[in-house]
Amino acid sequence: MGETKTLLRIGALALMWGSSFFWIKLGLGAFSPVQLVLARVALGAAVLIGLCYLGRDRLPSGRRIWGHLAVAAFFHNALPFLLFAWGELTVDSGITGVLNATTPLWVLVAAPMLGARTRMTAVRVAGLVAGLAGILLIFAPWEASGLLSWGALACLAAAASYGFAFVYEGKYLTGTGDSPMSLAGGQMLLATGFLLLAMPMGGFEPVHLSTGAIVAVVILGIGSTGIAFALNYQLLASEGAVAASIVGYLLPVVSVLLGAVFLAEPLNFRVIAGMVVVLGGVALTRLRPRERGTFATAPVVERPLAAAGEAAP
């Protein structure tokens, strides 16, 4: 973890994924959510398939794998990307990043439903409760000026969709013999197909082009989607999931700072406190007991396409 290359990869990933909500907010100034996400996944697919070609990786073969990839593409890419984009029409980009960090909490909920191997300890239950309390603290539904809205609920649903997708991928897409890069390329290609099918739902609205919005979408698709996925695989291969999971804790900090500094998004003590409580709860859910009673950080459930604790937003 002390090596410069590893720290640079962690920092680059945190910046790419943490800034994705910032680029979404800028892109929505010119594009509808469907248009923005279609451009994002298409650019991401082009990058990943191009990297597969350069690395001489073939896309997966067999209808069974493609069927599982279709489910993963819907719940890991098409649906949550759309929900986050739609949610950001009314929710600040910084808060969206914090809600994205709740994904490991939803993994704990989804794992037993899909029969995944996981151990629900008292510490993890406490982490789940703390995370949910942090969400309530952020939204403050008991106040008239609270942040609870349909857009915020959409962002929470997106994080829950990530949680389901991670468990599903761990159960059905591990041990296939295909490289993670080829699986991700095929998955992003299918996500592009889903977005083409969604075009009637706002995809034909007028586009108000601007240089800033175009640059934002290009960076979102190529950088925060395509290159970030590839960089994540390199980090997983060199340092393992525990090191890569650190990105999940840095991501909301990046999104909150970018929103506050460049978009003048309001930031009050309650939101900051809620973010700290959410991240503390996530940290607790990622502890597993050792035989001698101590605890070590570990993934909640094995997953092939992303590090535990982060959602590749």
Side-chain angles (χ1 to χ4, degrees), residues 92-135:
D92 290 343
S93 63
I95 291 179
T96 306
V98 176
L99 297 180
N100 176 81
T102 65
T103 296
L105 305 179
W106 303 113
V107 169
L108 277 184
V109 175
M113 297 179 181
L114 292 177
R117 178 172 53 87
T118 186
R119 183 177 176 185
M120 185 64 77
T121 64
V123 174
R124 285 179 176 168
V125 171
L128 181 60
V129 173
L132 296 177
I135 294 172

Side-chain angles (χ1 to χ4, degrees), residues 151-163:
L153 293 177
C155 293
L156 275 177
S161 182
Y162 279 147

Side-chain angles (χ1 to χ4, degrees), residues 149-196:
S149 65
W150 286 112
L153 293 177
C155 293
L156 275 177
S161 182
Y162 279 147
F164 169 83
F166 285 158
V167 178
Y168 186 91
E169 290 164 1
K171 185 173 182 179
Y172 296 107
L173 290 173
T174 53
T176 64
D178 298 287
S179 71
M181 194 70 72
S182 66
L183 289 172
Q187 181 173 318
M188 203 67 70
L189 190 64
L190 288 170
T192 304
F194 283 129
L195 264 299
L196 287 173

Side-chain angles (χ1 to χ4, degrees), residues 234-263:
Q234 292 179 357
L235 185 61
L236 282 170
S238 63
E239 298 296 337
V242 174
S245 68
I246 294 176
V247 178
Y249 300 100
L250 298 176
L251 186 154
V253 178
V254 173
S255 69
V256 167
L257 289 177
L258 287 175
V261 174
F262 294 102
L263 298 176

Side-chain angles (χ1 to χ4, degrees), residues 6-16 247 250:
T6 299
L7 294 177
L8 288 175
R9 284 175 178 168
I10 290 175
L13 266 177
L15 184 59
M16 288 180 185
V247 178
L250 298 176

